[in-house]
RNA sequence: GGGGCCGUAGCUCAAUUGGUCCAGAGCGCCGCCCUGUCACGGCGGAGGUUGCGGGUUCGAGCCCCGUCGGCCUCGCCA
């Protein structure tokens, strides 16, 4: 009876000195073969670890002969004895390094062709090749660790919510196209020619319906689909930890989510997260960091110097101010040592995201007083102005001040980008620090300058804060003007960690009149709303409970825990940056028959 | 849709300003030798239409145009 039909007795990661003397059966892949002419050593690998096998030509000539023929990545099963290594032979780099297996019997289960790349941890092969041979790429222990971490994180989260009475309920994958938000992935219907299902961008509406059904605590690890351009941290299909609760206020949801996250960080990394996680108002985040997902591991806050800048004879500052813009700056601690060529290169990069340039000044200290040089220094032409600037910016001698002038939105974008970029380049970001925060009090609506239209900051089902409800003028037929609308804040909240948005949620509208007014504000006609959200509008008629929830990006959580900035690293079978799968060659053409059944014709 | 970077053996990368480099190295691969290796070692060998198509030039891996592909980024992602 060949070895292949025996159960393996141990994994390649578990044998220790205590097992010496035992006969074991191991199975795995040949990681490395070291043929010394007589003795042959094999590192046998499975997902649990690596164990050294020893083949002795004198005691086991048959097994030894077979071992000489082995090649990288062959799959084998062996039987042998666990023996202690001599003191000089102990390998401290391996958990199993105190022992090795004297192999008596070997069964080659299958042979491997020479792999297109080596199965080693510190691999730098181009990603497309790795994705094409993903099953080989996933044999690497770094990748295995990430996939295993993903499993464990998911498990911790499920367990937390299960323990607190949440129900895991599945929602449809074939569903209805929604007009708002991202582009839908469409699935043609065979039984109803000319109509399409859409893959869900999120289970948003369904989880609300579940609240109306009375399943007051819901959670699902839900796959979501959005047909938009990808990014380093975005895939066309991704996974959300989707949560919804009835009779909930923002705090109800946030308290559960932060407790669950603290548990994940504790169990995965042994990190304690002080609770509650600090709350930061949206306006404050935008003012201090220029974005709604601040990285709080370093300071470098944005400072407003509009008043001061307006007094300078400098058109680059004056002109934007005259058009209602602002001038703000950040201070790069010790940035005075940056060379002209570095600064020039940085300027080019800022231009790349739309800035006209990068006004700057270096803070000096000469003859016992503060001074400026380089860049816009000459416009601060009195000691008083220099002092005022350094005071306003919080700059010290040796620092670099970077300015941005323009519309508030642009200034925030440029300075926020510079803040993050420089902190990273100059090593100002502490390692192993986890700075969670909640961003709260989001505006309910934003103004799209290009489309000249009001849009929902979160989504059209987000409830305004009770204090701001009056601004919606529910007692009148017409909604209020733009300025009032933009002052309405929402019961919305985002969880942010180290500059990543982990997720966002809100308390939903549960009143039909409020929902109708929101649609009216957004320019969604009654007929349109009925067509697109009829089932939701219908449900609102039957006494929905106040409810709300959140969706967390599972992929990003796993990225942060496993220390990668590439979302493809934490997905077993990801697509590339063009949403193509090099492994399966999806998407692909389909047969004319398939198209005919669907009544679909391809246009050139 | 915009911007940037990249494409040379199976893999990672070299190759002065375009000029004996009829494209090199390391790893991997193949063969031989080697009984304590663990990045084993030694000797030898195979392997390339420089992504593809044009152009400039006496001469192109290098310059120009186009095209295909990859990665990043802005827009976009309620």
């Amino acid at each position: 009876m060949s070895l292949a039909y025996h159960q393996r007795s141990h994994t390649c990661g578990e044998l220790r000195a205590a097992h010496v003397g035992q006969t074991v059966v191991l199975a795995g892949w040949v990681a490395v073969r070291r043929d010394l002419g007589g003795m042959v050593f094999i590192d046998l690998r499975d997902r649990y670890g690596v164990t050294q096998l020893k083949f002795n030509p004198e005691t086991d000539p048959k097994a030894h002969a077979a071992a000489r023929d082995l090649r990288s990545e062959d799959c084998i099963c062996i039987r042998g004895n666990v023996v202690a290594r001599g003191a000089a032979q102990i390998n401290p780099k391996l958990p199993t390094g105190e022992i090795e297996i004297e192999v008596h019997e070997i069964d080659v289960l299958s042979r491997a062709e020479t792999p297109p790349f080596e199965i080693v941890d510190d691999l730098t092969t181009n990603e497309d090749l790795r994705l094409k041979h993903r099953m080989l790429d996933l044999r690497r222990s770094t990748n295995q660790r990430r996939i295993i971490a993903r499993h464990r994180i998911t498990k911790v989260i499920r367990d937390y919510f299960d323990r607190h009475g949440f129900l895991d309920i599945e929602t449809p994958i074939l569903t209805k196209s929604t007009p708002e938000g991202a582009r839908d992935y469409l699935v043609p219907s065979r039984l109803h020619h000319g109509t399409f299902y859409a893959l869900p961008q999120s289970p948003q509406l369904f989880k609300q319906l579940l609240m109306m059904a009375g399943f007051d605590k819901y959670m699902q690890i839900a796959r979501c689909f959005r047909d938009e351009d990808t990014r380093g941290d975005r895939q066309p299909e991704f996974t959300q930890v989707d949560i919804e609760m009835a009779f909930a206020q923002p705090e109800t949801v946030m308290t559960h989510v932060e407790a669950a996250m603290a548990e994940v960080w504790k169990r995965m990394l042994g990190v304690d997260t002080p609770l509650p996680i600090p709350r930061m108002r949206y306006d404050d985040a935008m003012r201090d960091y220029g974005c709604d997902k601040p990285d709080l591991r370093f300071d470098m806050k944005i400072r407003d110097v509009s008043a001061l800048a307006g007094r300078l004879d400098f058109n680059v500052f004056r002109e934007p101010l005259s058009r209602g813009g602002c001038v703000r700056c950040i201070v790069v601690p010790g940035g005075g040592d940056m060379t002209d060529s570095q600064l020039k290169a940085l300027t080019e990069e800022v231009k790349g995201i739309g800035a006209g340039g990068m006004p700057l000044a270096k803070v000096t200290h000469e003859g016992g007083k503060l001074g400026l040089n380089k860049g816009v220094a000459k416009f601060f032409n009195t000691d008083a102005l220099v002092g005022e600037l350094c005071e306003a910016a919080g700059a010290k001698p040796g620092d670099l001040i970077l300015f941005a002038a323009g519309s508030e939105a642009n200034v925030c974008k440029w300075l926020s980008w510079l803040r993050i970029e420089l902190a990273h380049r100059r090593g100002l970001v502490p390692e192993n620090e986890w700075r969670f925060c909640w961003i709260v009090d989001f505006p309910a609506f934003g103004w799209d300058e290009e489309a000249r239209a009001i849009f929902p900051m979160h989504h059209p089902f987000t409830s305004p804060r009770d204090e701001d409800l009056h601004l919606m003028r529910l007692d009148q037929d017409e909604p209020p003007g733009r300025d009032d609308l933009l002052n309405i804040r929402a019961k919305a909240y985002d969880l942010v960690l180290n500059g990543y948005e982990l997720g966002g949620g809100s308390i939903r509208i549960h009143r039909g009149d409020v929902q109708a007014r929101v649609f009216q504000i957004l320019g969604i006609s009654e007929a349109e709303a009925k067509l697109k959200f009829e089932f939701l509008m219908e449900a609102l008629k039957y006494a929905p409970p106040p409810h709300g929830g959140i969706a967390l990006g599972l992929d990003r959580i796993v990225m942060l825990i496993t220390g990668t900035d590439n979302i493809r690293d934490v997905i077993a079978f990801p697509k590339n940056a063009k949403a193509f799968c090099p492994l399966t060659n999806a998407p692909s053409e389909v047969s004319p028959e398939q198209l005919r059944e669907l009544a679909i014709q391809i246009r050139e």
Side-chain angles (χ1 to χ4, degrees):
Chain A
M1 190 173 183
S2 107
L3 266 179
Y5 298 97
H6 287 272
Q7 201 73 31
R8 57 181 168 167
S9 64
H10 296 81
T11 69
C12 295
E14 67 176 309
L15 294 172
R16 299 289 185 274
H19 296 90
V20 168
Q22 293 188 20
T23 296
V24 297
V25 177
L26 298 181
W29 286 266
V30 174
V32 187
R33 180 182 56 122
R34 290 180 293 276
D35 185 345
L36 274 60
M39 204 85 83
V40 172
F41 295 96
I42 300 279
D43 286 346
L44 189 66
R45 183 196 63 233
D46 64 13
R47 82 166 157 101
Y48 307 92
V50 170
T51 299
Q52 175 165 282
L53 311 179
K54 180 176 69 171
F55 296 81
N56 188 325
E58 285 162 11
T59 58
D60 298 280
K62 208 173 147 193
H64 175 264
R68 296 201 82 164
D69 275 343
L70 291 176
R71 293 294 180 267
S72 288
E73 299 308 316
D74 284 345
C75 184
I76 65 173
C77 182
I78 59 96
R79 185 207 306 277
N81 290 335
V82 183
V83 298
R85 299 199 196 186
Q89 274 90 49
I90 287 175
N91 184 347
K93 285 183 281 186
L94 285 182
T96 59
E98 289 185 22
I99 56 95
E100 61 194 353
I101 312 297
E102 258 175 10
V103 177
H104 302 311
E105 218 180 323
I106 176 170
D107 198 352
V108 179
L109 303 175
S110 56
R111 297 274 186 186
E113 283 186 18
T114 302
F117 48 82
E118 294 166 65
I119 314 300
V120 293
D121 280 349
D122 53 348
L123 187 80
T124 49
T125 303
N126 99 59
E127 205 180 357
D128 228 43
L129 188 76
R130 286 168 39 206
L131 292 184
K132 185 176 168 67
H133 304 276
R134 187 63 168 166
M135 73 303 284
L136 293 177
D137 192 31
L138 286 175
R139 283 185 188 175
R140 298 165 51 217
S141 69
T142 38
N143 281 335
Q144 296 217 330
R145 271 201 301 276
R146 294 195 180 104
I147 301 300
I148 293 165
R150 185 177 180 120
H151 159 80
R152 291 177 54 208
I153 290 165
T154 309
K155 178 83 163 67
V156 171
I157 293 171
R158 269 191 210 285
D159 286 350
Y160 174 91
F161 286 101
D162 174 59
R163 210 161 61 234
H164 288 86
F166 287 73
L167 299 174
D168 184 344
I169 303 172
E170 291 173 275
T171 51
I173 293 295
L174 294 177
T175 181
K176 190 175 167 67
S177 177
T178 49
E180 306 289 315
R183 219 171 276 118
D184 285 317
Y185 276 102
L186 296 177
V187 180
S189 162
R190 178 182 58 86
L191 295 176
H192 308 275
H193 284 174
T195 64
F196 298 82
Y197 302 95
L199 305 183
Q201 295 179 26
S202 80
Q204 179 62 38
L205 295 172
F206 289 103
K207 66 179 178 179
Q208 291 194 238
L209 295 177
L210 288 171
M211 294 305 107
M212 298 173 193
F215 296 109
D216 61 336
K217 294 175 180 175
Y218 147 92
M219 93 97 223
Q220 183 185 191
I221 307 292
R223 192 67 64 85
C224 305
F225 307 86
R226 293 177 191 177
D227 187 6
E228 295 292 342
D229 288 358
T230 66
R231 278 296 170 76
D233 61 352
R234 294 200 315 233
Q235 281 270 296
E237 56 178 307
F238 59 99
T239 305
Q240 284 186 344
V241 180
D242 199 41
I243 292 159
E244 195 78 4
M245 303 177 73
F247 313 114
Q249 283 299 323
E251 288 297 321
T252 327
V253 177
M254 290 157 77
T255 302
H256 270 301
V257 169
E258 60 188 21
M261 288 303 103
E263 197 163 311
V264 169
W265 257 258
K266 180 67 179 174
R267 296 271 293 277
M268 297 302 295
L269 300 172
V271 170
D272 288 302
T273 305
L275 296 180
I277 287 168
R279 272 70 164 157
M280 185 185 296
R281 292 171 49 232
Y282 171 85
D283 288 344
D284 294 341
M286 292 306 291
R287 183 195 62 213
D288 291 343
Y289 302 99
C291 70
D292 60 2
K293 45 177 183 173
D295 191 337
L296 301 179
R297 288 175 297 173
F298 52 94
D299 198 38
M300 288 174 68
K301 286 200 185 79
I302 294 172
R303 302 295 183 97
D304 193 287
V305 290
S306 297
L308 174 58
R311 282 155 40 210
L312 305 179
D313 186 20
F314 184 33
N315 215 27
V316 170
F317 286 172
R318 277 194 161 172
E319 199 269 341
L321 287 169
S322 72
R323 290 194 294 149
C326 61
V327 179
R328 294 180 186 172
C329 66
I330 57 169
V331 172
V332 185
D337 64 2
M338 290 184 73
T339 63
D340 287 355
S341 65
Q342 281 176 317
L343 292 170
K344 195 178 170 193
L346 194 62
T347 304
E348 288 309 309
E349 290 183 70
V350 187
K351 283 182 179 173
I353 60 170
M358 188 178 69
L360 60 90
K362 289 179 176 179
V363 184
T364 60
H365 191 67
E366 284 167 21
K369 64 175 189 179
L370 280 178
L372 294 178
N373 70 14
K374 301 281 182 187
V376 302
K378 65 177 175 182
F379 297 104
F380 293 86
N381 50 14
T382 68
D383 289 351
L385 283 172
V386 172
E388 222 179 304
L389 172 67
C390 290
E391 174 69 27
K396 301 182 303 299
D399 291 347
L400 170 72
I401 304 178
L402 300 177
F403 299 88
S407 70
E408 186 167 353
N410 277 336
V411 166
C412 284
K413 178 178 158 190
W414 302 330
L415 287 182
S416 147
W417 183 87
L418 281 168
R419 176 178 176 271
I420 294 163
E421 205 54 36
L422 283 162
H424 279 94
R425 289 185 200 186
R426 298 184 60 79
L428 301 173
V429 186
E431 299 280 318
N432 299 319
E433 203 168 306
W434 305 98
R435 294 291 297 273
F436 285 94
C437 76
W438 285 105
I439 306 297
V440 298
D441 290 354
F442 278 84
F445 304 105
W447 174 251
D448 184 338
E449 191 58 49
E450 212 169 303
R452 311 284 307 164
I454 291 280
F455 67 94
M457 287 287 276
H458 188 51
H459 57 53
F461 320 113
T462 305
S463 172
R465 283 164 40 118
D466 302 331
E467 305 91 300
D468 299 338
L469 199 57
H470 68 278
L471 291 172
M472 299 190 72
R473 310 266 169 77
L474 288 168
D475 51 336
Q476 297 176 20
D477 286 344
E478 287 301 311
R482 201 213 314 179
D483 289 346
D484 273 348
L485 287 177
L486 295 181
N487 281 326
I488 298 174
R489 287 161 301 171
K491 291 185 182 175
Y493 33 84
D494 276 7
L495 181 61
V496 170
L497 171 61
N498 294 0
Y500 280 90
E501 179 194 325
L502 288 190
S506 64
I507 302 302
R508 328 300 181 189
I509 296 167
H510 68 281
R511 282 169 51 175
D513 59 338
V514 177
Q515 186 66 68
R517 174 52 55 96
V518 169
F519 283 149
Q520 192 183 11
I521 289 167
L522 297 174
I524 299 173
S525 72
E526 215 169 304
E528 208 178 343
K530 193 168 178 200
L531 193 69
K532 285 157 179 168
F533 305 111
E534 186 176 15
F535 59 104
L536 182 75
M537 301 304 283
E538 190 67 16
L540 287 174
K541 293 178 186 166
Y542 298 101
H547 62 284
I550 194 168
L552 303 168
L554 179 69
D555 309 280
R556 283 186 192 163
I557 293 172
V558 181
M559 284 167 65
L560 283 158
I561 294 270
T562 59
T564 176
D565 54 9
N566 182 346
I567 193 173
R568 295 178 293 274
D569 286 342
V570 299
I571 296 175
F573 299 104
K575 291 168 184 58
N576 71 12
K578 287 274 164 60
F580 177 78
C581 174
L583 177 72
T584 61
N585 287 330
S588 60
E589 292 177 358
V590 297
S591 70
E593 290 72 28
Q594 282 175 294
L595 290 177
R596 208 171 300 126
E597 280 192 320
L598 297 166
I600 286 181
Q601 194 173 4
I602 305 295
R603 285 174 56 183
E604 289 309 319

